[in-house]
Amino acid sequence: MSFDRIREKLNILADAAKYDVSCSSSGGTRKNDNKGLGDSHSSGICHTYTEDGRCVSLLKILLTNHCIYDCLFCVSRKSNDVKRAAFTVDEVVELTMNFYRRNYIEGLFLSSGIFKNADFTMERLLLVCKKLRLEQKYNGYIHLKTIPGASDELIKEAGLYADRMSINLEMPTEAGLKLLAPEKSHQDVIKPLAFVQQNITQFAADKKLIKHVPKFVPAGQSTQMVIGATPESDKDIMYTANAFYKNFSLKRVYYSGYVPISNDSRMPVLGTQPPLLRENRLYQTDWLMRFYGFKVQEILNDANPNLDVDIDPKLSWAIRNMQHFPVDINKADYKMILRIPGIGVMSAQKIVQARKFGKLRIDQLKKIGVAYNRAKHFITCADSPYQLRDYQGTQIKAFILAESQSKYLKTDSNQLILF
Amino acid sequence: MTYIFDGSLPGLLTAVFEWFERKPGTVSLKSIETFQPEAFSESFTVVTNSDKADRVWKGLQGKLKKDWLRKFYCAYLSEIPEAFDHLFQFTIYVFQNEKGAENNYGNAHVIALAKYAKSVEREKHRMEAFIRFQHTADGIFYTGVDPDFNVLPLISNHFKNRYADQQWIIYDLKRKYGLHYNLSTVEEITIDFAVGVNSKNPEAILLNEKEELYSVLWKDYFKSANIVARKNTKLHIRHVPKRYWKYLTEKQLS
């Protein structure tokens, strides 16, 4: 292969793939037991970070950016005037192997534009996986896009070689999707997601009875929604995410702030800043749902359809629900300690273990890793100063904001400080 | 009272043994490298004894679960002078209390050990992430590193399992030893670099002919994966602190 040609292809096809945000390499269980190359690391490894601060753990490329669809939000849409390219199967295999050998990457993230039809595309993706696994004895991570509309047989076979599979919802609601991609619908996504999910469950059930069952998508499935291209509220977005977590046992839902790439009148104009802060707040909410025992309805509901911009959703929930506070660190159960702003999962676990040995004091909490300046409004511990008055949630918010160093606040604040 | 030991793990464990034999009250432990004689304080030099060390280690194994034995070992690998004293005090504390005392995060030594172990594990993880092999002309994948802590013993298995079909060398340039995987086992080696050889970035002539190609492709990929509209240098540097840039192929000028 000619050096310049492969460079050009890589530039085009990596550039087109970068809007897929998933770069997780965790959850793989493949062991290098055939003296081949690669071994998965259960927590995943980020090998580098781009200048926008996103992790690079996988070689994320499209097999081709030729596409028969014309989705407005997509850089590879048929009507977009961009250079087109396509890798051969062997080129992808060789790139993956050689990058992996040098410890550049954890594995391959392979997606593709749809050329000819869904099955034709899926067959080629499957071929790459098979070559890597069977011919090259490659045990590294493979994240494969499920092509909507591909036949069940192909998807099932791909699941035997991939570690994770994903299909993007693209827009949080059906209405939003119809607006920008009239040819597509959420049903196209739901069907294969459900099919893969059924198979994951089936293989897991078989594994209980039969010793040697091949792995099937061991790192589970994920999906992605574009944020800020259509006018959905945070509530719409998170309720959709919640439903998909519940119905399809997804490992992750990704939220991708829309980076303007089109000058169609239905979309934000070119040059608009991507909604990075909003994206951040959505991820915080996602974490609260998955790791902190919050129900999505507690954080977002009809009274609060959008997340606060100036404070994080956990603090926001606490301020709206002051009746639960202050919490006694030395008595409250773990679930309640997790809900205190300024205390994370690790700190909460340490607190529960440490308080068996004696009542905890402020200095100990600080050493354990609690963000005390934030938490102090919501807790009592062995030597908490006696407080004469109860502060309102809004007052506490003002205290915390006054101390806050957030880079977003400096630009946002248009309220002068009086005292 | 100060105990002085030779800086080795058996030495540290022997010091614990000696303390329990003498029960001299409050003692601080220092390694011979950092010890400065003080006018009004006595000192005692611990003679490393593997039998005594083994007994203490067995005792610890009985007291601590696997995760804490690992934390103990990691904190030792930090090579931080204060960590040695904390390890010493921690061991005494664990022996003097009921099983489970290591979970008392209110205790200064427990929290210190957890902290050192966390730093070392983070450095270990960064080495697993940021090491970049270069394919040399004689077929070995080579990298030279100088980690903040002595993490080579911790990363050996990771690389052995992962790169089972290629010979590799990871060389600690600061501590002057390395690991060599010869397709069956990992062995500790020392290299005498010839004068003029750049041990971090070997000259092109020493490298495999394809090496240049893949490093250029990787740099290209790194550039293509970036979304300019989302530029966030602060976050970038928080994830990849500048002191690691020297390892990263994608951060070298082409």
Side-chain angles (χ1 to χ4, degrees), chain B residues 196-246:
Chain B
V197 168
N198 183 341
S199 49
K200 201 163 278 158
N201 281 310
E203 304 271 335
I205 190 156
L206 297 173
L207 295 173
N208 181 289
E209 54 196 9
K210 285 272 182 78
E211 182 55 38
E212 170 76 11
L213 165 74
Y214 286 109
S215 77
V216 169
L217 286 174
W218 175 242
K219 283 178 201 165
D220 282 353
Y221 174 71
F222 181 70
K223 267 185 229 132
S224 305
N226 183 36
I227 299 178
V228 182
R230 299 176 58 110
K231 188 175 166 71
N232 189 344
T233 311
K234 223 172 130 184
L235 185 62
H236 172 63
I237 290 175
R238 194 166 83 213
H239 285 309
V240 197
K242 282 186 177 163
R243 67 178 185 283
Y244 297 96
W245 288 14
K246 60 188 176 225

Side-chain angles (χ1 to χ4, degrees), chain A residues 31-38 137 139, chain B residues 160-161 163-166 181-185:
Chain A
K31 288 278 154 251
N32 189 355
D33 42 21
N34 54 0
K35 222 46 184 144
L37 180 72
K137 293 209 273 181
N139 303 302
Chain B
K160 182 180 170 225
N161 293 338
Y163 299 108
D165 70 343
Q166 69 189 42
Y181 172 70
N182 57 14
L183 297 179
S184 58
T185 54

